[in-house]
Amino acid sequence: MTLAPRWRKLIGDFGATRGRIALMLAALAIGMFALTTISGAYAILSREIARNYLETNPASALIDVGEVTPEILATITADPDIAAAEPASIVVARARVGEEAWHRTLLFIVPDFSSSSIGLTFPEAGSFPPADGAVLVEREAMGFLGAVLGEQISVQTSGGTTLALPVAGTVHDPSLAPAWQEQTAYIYLSSQTAAQLGLPLAPELVKVIVRDAALGQDHIDGVVSGVASRLRDLGATVHQVQIPPVNQHPHQSQMNGVLGMFMLFAILTLILSAVLTAAMVSALLAQQVRQIAIMKAIGGTSRQVGGLYLAGIAIVAALALAIAIPLGLYGAASFAGLIAQLLNFDIVSPLVPAWLVIALIATGLLLPLGFVAVPIRKATRATVREALADQGIAADALRNDPIQRLLGRFTGIDRTLLLALRNAFRKRGRLLLNIGLLGTAGAMFIAALNVEAAWQGQLVAAANSRDYDIEISLLQPVSAIRLSEALASVPNIADLRPTDLISAAAGREDGLMLVRTYPDGGHGSLSLRPLGSLPADPVFLAGHGEDASAIVLNQQAWNLLGRPPLDAPLLLAVEGRTVAATPGGIARQILTPATVFIPPELFADLADHGGGATAIRLDLADDDDARVAETASQISAALTQAGIAVEQLTTEATLAAAQSGHVAILIIALKAMALLMAAVGSIGLAASQGSSVVERTREFGIMRTIGASGGALMRNILAEGLMIAFLSLPLALLVGVPLGYSIGQLVGTLSFGLPLPLTVSLEAIATWALILAVGSVLASLTPARQAARLTIRQTLAYN
């Protein structure tokens, strides 16, 4: 088969510039790989997190009535808007393996595993259901506790009863965050096993499924609050109603927000790749100006010539897709797997929807063609006369260029470096493209490290803002005298301060304590503490705490309660009571749950703890990390020996470990995205330097004629690459600092309810400068070698 002359020319043109075509292919492949990975992961995770969560048949609400009686259950199930209801209990305890440290634990008590249909768990290993006297452990909690199948776990309840129970099996509960994230273990047991621990045989909660839940949150709230009101009319005590966001995993909104941000960055990477491709096509056509004129002179039309080059780029784009789509789909499945592990759910199917693959293919073809159409149209629309008269960069134009004249006045610096600098500014469009590509990559990298530095700074600020080293939550109120006696023998305690807290919620007109939280009690919980629990010198974001009759909210509580105005009455619900209080200030607290600080007299009236404390704060004489851990172990042992049941013992190390896991994958992904952009920028620099060598061939011949060595030419190209790279550094800083601040606002708000502060990491700048230096040398090395190998004969024969 004989190819038409125009196709033979296209093959010849691409073959003569195969290095540049290879760079074009690589740039498009990288851009499509980034977009395929992120969009594919988004599609997989959005589908799978919803599937995992909904397969548990999550409760629309949990109604805490203290003791579930047949009458209460009958009243609830008789409501036509209730599709299903079943009793259960969730008890806070603590557990440990052997002599290891105690860990806060949630005991999920299931009256009948075989008939349970709401809030399901899925067997993983061992026996299911567990025999009486044995327990099931959530799979992620096994590693957190250091447990193995068949081994005994010691469980201690609020009454002080401690019992060793064998692990009969493991289960997966996709509705819960991993145990290590929440620093809480999850154990499942029967009512009979719970009775052995001294817990009431009668369940305390009713899990309900609201019919037509798809109607939305207001519908569920209305149905459940109506049921709760009827229960109160019958004389039942409704302690609390928990209604989580409808059909939404606890971390779904945070995941969607972060992945949406990555999607924008991936689209930007592909756009930069397409822009780079257009620039390389423009450089290629600049060398074909006269050939295009000849083709038009013998009868070729602008459409035919333009279509020829568009077809060639379409082939390159198709090859890039053939490489990027399979790799991107693999990357999407891998990235989705990492996120799923972080959020404790399974990927049932790693397949990306067919419509998304089709959309990616269309994008990967049409976007580059749209960008390259501009230089192709410009080159093919020129008349034959204009094309034959083209002389490239005119000497007069260079002489009259103000930047070139300015650089020509520089004296006292190495001529090779001066020549490299002048050449860098010879084609300013190409220079700006390279600066833009490398500057964008640098901005992403600097932003990622700035966010990481800001995060670490917040952890340090959180530690410095607290006037204690250890906080211990107790399962029952204990008098201050008893606490002091129990810990009197523990060394290293400089100060012991009993404190207190109770659960609360936003007040309602019907008096119900309705909390927007999940069965684990987190992700939306609100606590009340006495005003004395505030640090000695709190930082206020708004208002102040000088009014002794006013309440103080930390920023998490302020956000949770809908950002109420200061100095206006705010309703709070506590155990069936509704109280009105006036916020006087918003205190800045990091790594602290949503808390409202209220006057001590009001707290004592609401808490009814008989003067006992449900928490202790300890200031240590030696707060070295190792010493803190040792003291924490001694404190735990002393309290256990005194018969004081502990819910959770928290140090700065445990807080940091729990929080850092949430942001680690974000920082890693940001760095990976920055490196992909850096690869595109390096490709652009390599293509630019290759074009520069071709354009300066005769110039290099003159330099060789007057005695320049191959090493001097090579040094000139390398110096030009370095200068271009470092010219991008100001742009990287100019964009990276505000970008890091914007990302920090998102991350900080999701994590702390407060944006991360503006942080500029000098280490990030230095690291990126090193990457620029190494990357520019590697990108310029091949063109530099080509220049060094040019002979005088080759340069004079070049046309």
Side-chain angles (χ1 to χ4, degrees):
M1 180 176 132
T2 303
L3 289 175
R6 61 178 181 273
W7 293 109
R8 289 203 300 271
K9 170 171 173 46
L10 180 67
I11 294 172
D13 290 347
F14 279 22
T17 57
R18 53 184 175 273
R20 193 175 303 168
I21 298 301
L23 292 175
M24 192 184 304
L25 176 66
L28 291 175
I30 290 172
M32 279 309 302
F33 169 77
L35 184 60
T36 304
T37 297
I38 299 302
S39 61
Y42 196 115
I44 293 170
L45 289 168
S46 299
R47 178 189 68 226
E48 297 298 322
I49 196 172
R51 174 190 290 175
N52 274 253
Y53 184 65
L54 294 178
E55 282 180 349
T56 68
N57 194 27
S60 303
L62 277 73
I63 305 175
D64 183 353
V65 293
E67 181 179 346
V68 180
T69 64
E71 293 76 19
I72 287 175
L73 202 57
T75 300
I76 295 174
T77 54
D79 192 299
D81 288 318
I82 299 297
E86 62 183 46
S89 291
I90 303 174
V91 177
V92 179
R94 65 175 185 163
R96 71 175 180 179
V97 173
E99 297 301 318
E100 297 296 322
W102 289 97
H103 295 284
R104 179 178 186 270
T105 300
L106 291 181
L107 303 178
F108 293 88
I109 302 170
V110 184
D112 187 353
F113 278 92
S114 60
S115 64
S116 177
S117 62
I118 303 175
L120 298 175
T121 59
F122 305 102
E124 288 271 316
S127 303
F128 185 92
D132 291 341
V135 298
L136 301 172
V137 180
E138 212 284 326
R139 66 183 189 186
E140 289 293 324
M142 290 290 282
F144 176 67
L145 290 171
V148 295
L149 202 62
E151 189 176 22
Q152 290 191 331
I153 292 180
S154 295
V155 178
Q156 186 181 78
T157 59
S158 59
T161 301
T162 303
L163 192 63
L165 301 170
V167 179
T170 60
V171 294
H172 176 216
D173 191 339
S175 68
L176 299 174
W180 62 268
Q181 273 192 12
E182 303 302 319
Q183 294 292 295
T184 300
Y186 311 115
I187 293 178
Y188 305 79
L189 62 163
S190 66
S191 299
Q192 289 71 25
T193 306
Q196 296 178 29
L197 285 163
L199 298 173
L201 192 61
E204 61 182 17
L205 304 171
V206 180
K207 298 186 289 187
V208 301
I209 299 290
V210 174
R211 202 181 304 278
D212 299 324
L215 293 176
Q217 199 75 57
D218 290 341
H219 170 68
I220 294 175
D221 290 353
V223 171
V224 175
S225 60
V227 169
S229 296
R230 282 192 290 277
L231 290 176
R232 290 196 305 183
D233 293 342
L234 293 174
T237 300
V238 179
H239 298 285
Q240 188 183 82
V241 177
Q242 297 179 13
I243 305 181
V246 59
N247 293 337
Q248 183 172 301
H249 186 277
H251 288 132
Q252 188 161 352
S253 59
Q254 293 95 324
M255 183 195 75
N256 289 343
V258 171
L259 287 177
M261 176 183 66
F262 281 135
M263 182 75 76
L264 292 176
F265 294 151
I267 292 172
L268 177 61
T269 303
L270 180 60
I271 291 175
L272 291 176
S273 301
V275 170
L276 175 58
T277 299
M280 286 192 280
V281 169
S282 178
L284 173 66
L285 293 174
Q287 298 176 256
Q288 302 294 320
V289 171
R290 296 191 177 185
Q291 290 89 330
I292 291 173
I294 294 171
M295 292 170 67
K296 295 181 70 173
I298 60 176
T301 65
S302 296
R303 178 173 296 181
Q304 288 176 326
V305 177
L308 177 69
Y309 285 100
L310 279 174
I313 301 305
I315 293 171
V316 175
L319 290 174
L321 287 173
I323 297 170
I325 296 292
L327 290 177
L329 294 177
Y330 177 79
S334 300
F335 187 48
L338 286 174
I339 299 295
Q341 184 178 6
L342 183 70
L343 300 183
N344 192 30
F345 66 91
D346 290 332
I347 302 293
V348 177
S349 171
L351 298 179
V352 170
W355 67 264
L356 179 59
V357 177
I358 294 172
L360 287 168
I361 292 173
T363 302
L365 285 174
L366 297 178
L367 187 67
L369 290 179
F371 275 93
V372 301
V374 176
I376 288 176
R377 184 175 183 274
K378 180 180 178 182
T380 56
R381 283 298 181 93
T383 65
V384 175
R385 181 180 178 279
E386 290 171 340
L388 292 177
D390 182 74
Q391 297 293 327
I393 302 177
D396 288 343
L398 289 177
R399 282 193 296 269
N400 295 327
D401 189 302
I403 293 180
Q404 293 294 332
R405 289 203 309 269
L406 176 64
L407 293 175
R409 294 172 184 169
F410 287 178
T411 59
I413 63 174
D414 183 80
R415 289 187 176 184
T416 301
L417 297 179
L418 179 59
L419 186 60
L421 184 60
R422 295 183 67 177
N423 190 67
F425 282 92
R426 183 179 298 184
K427 286 202 171 181
R428 285 196 286 277
R430 182 191 297 164
L431 174 65
L432 292 175
L433 174 62
N434 284 322
I435 290 176
L437 292 171
L438 292 172
T440 304
M444 180 70 71
F445 186 86
I446 291 172
L449 268 68
N450 282 353
V451 170
E452 185 175 36
W455 178 272
Q456 294 301 325
Q458 286 291 73
L459 297 183
V460 173
N464 293 336
S465 67
R466 280 187 277 273
D467 53 0
Y468 58 90
D469 298 300
I470 297 176
E471 181 167 30
I472 302 172
S473 301
L474 306 176
L475 291 173
Q476 290 288 345
V478 179
S479 69
I481 294 175
R482 188 181 172 198
L483 288 170
S484 298
E485 291 174 347
L487 298 177
S489 61
V490 178
N492 197 36
I493 296 179
D495 184 34
L496 183 153
R497 298 190 302 279
T499 183
D500 213 346
L501 74 160
I502 53 176
S503 296
R508 294 165 50 95
E509 292 182 0
D510 56 13
L512 282 176
M513 186 175 168
L514 192 156
V515 294
R516 189 74 66 209
T517 188
Y518 289 83
D520 63 1
H523 303 93
S525 60
L526 179 69
S527 298
L528 297 185
R529 285 181 179 269
L531 272 171
S533 299
L534 273 171
D537 296 306
V539 176
F540 284 92
L541 301 173
H544 53 78
E546 296 175 2
D547 186 350
S549 64
I551 64 174
V552 173
L553 292 72
N554 67 10
Q555 80 276 356
Q556 292 279 33
W558 184 62
N559 287 316
L560 182 66
L561 294 171
R563 301 193 168 193
L566 298 182
D567 302 324
L570 173 67
L571 293 180
L572 295 171
V574 182
E575 284 289 337
R577 296 178 57 182
T578 302
V579 295
T582 303
I586 302 168
R588 177 179 180 267
Q589 287 193 311
I590 309 166
L591 294 184
T592 303
T595 307
V596 178
F597 300 89
I598 64 176
E601 298 80 11
L602 177 59
F603 185 89
D605 180 48
L606 294 173
D608 192 24
H609 285 166
T614 56
I616 325 166
R617 288 176 173 175
L618 301 165
D619 185 26
L620 305 185
D622 183 356
D623 60 0
D624 176 79
D625 287 348
R627 193 77 174 93
V628 169
E630 179 186 355
T631 305
S633 178
Q634 293 170 341
I635 290 170
S636 181
L639 292 173
T640 300
Q641 186 176 2
I644 299 173
V646 173
E647 176 186 346
Q648 190 170 21
L649 189 151
T650 305
T651 66
E652 291 299 333
T654 56
L655 278 174
Q659 289 293 329
S660 294
H662 291 72
V663 78
I665 189 68
L666 169 68
I667 300 298
I668 292 171
L670 280 173
K671 291 178 183 177
M673 191 67 68
L675 292 177
L676 284 177
M677 288 187 174
V680 174
S682 296
I683 289 171
L685 183 57
S688 173
Q689 295 292 74
S691 298
S692 178
V693 169
V694 172
E695 294 165 357
R696 297 173 64 195
T697 298
R698 290 198 171 185
E699 177 186 326
F700 290 143
I702 296 171
M703 293 172 67
R704 294 298 298 269
T705 302
I706 61 176
S709 65
L713 299 185
M714 192 170 179
R715 189 168 67 253
N716 180 264
I717 299 297
L718 294 176
E720 182 181 343
L722 279 169
M723 288 180 182
I724 293 173
F726 279 101
L727 284 172
S728 72
L729 192 55
L731 176 63
L733 290 171
L734 189 64
V735 177
V737 171
L739 177 62
Y741 178 66
S742 299
I743 297 173
Q745 284 192 310
L746 172 65
V747 174
T749 302
L750 292 176
S751 303
F752 307 128
L754 192 70
L756 294 179
L758 177 62
T759 303
V760 179
S761 169
L762 296 180
E763 180 183 353
I765 299 171
T767 303
W768 180 247
L770 179 61
I771 292 174
L772 275 179
V774 174
S776 64
V777 169
L778 293 177
S780 304
L781 198 56
T782 298
R785 286 175 175 170
Q786 290 175 345
R789 286 196 295 263
L790 287 172
T791 65
I792 295 176
R793 182 178 180 279
Q794 289 174 325
T795 59
L796 294 178
Y798 174 77
N799 186 11

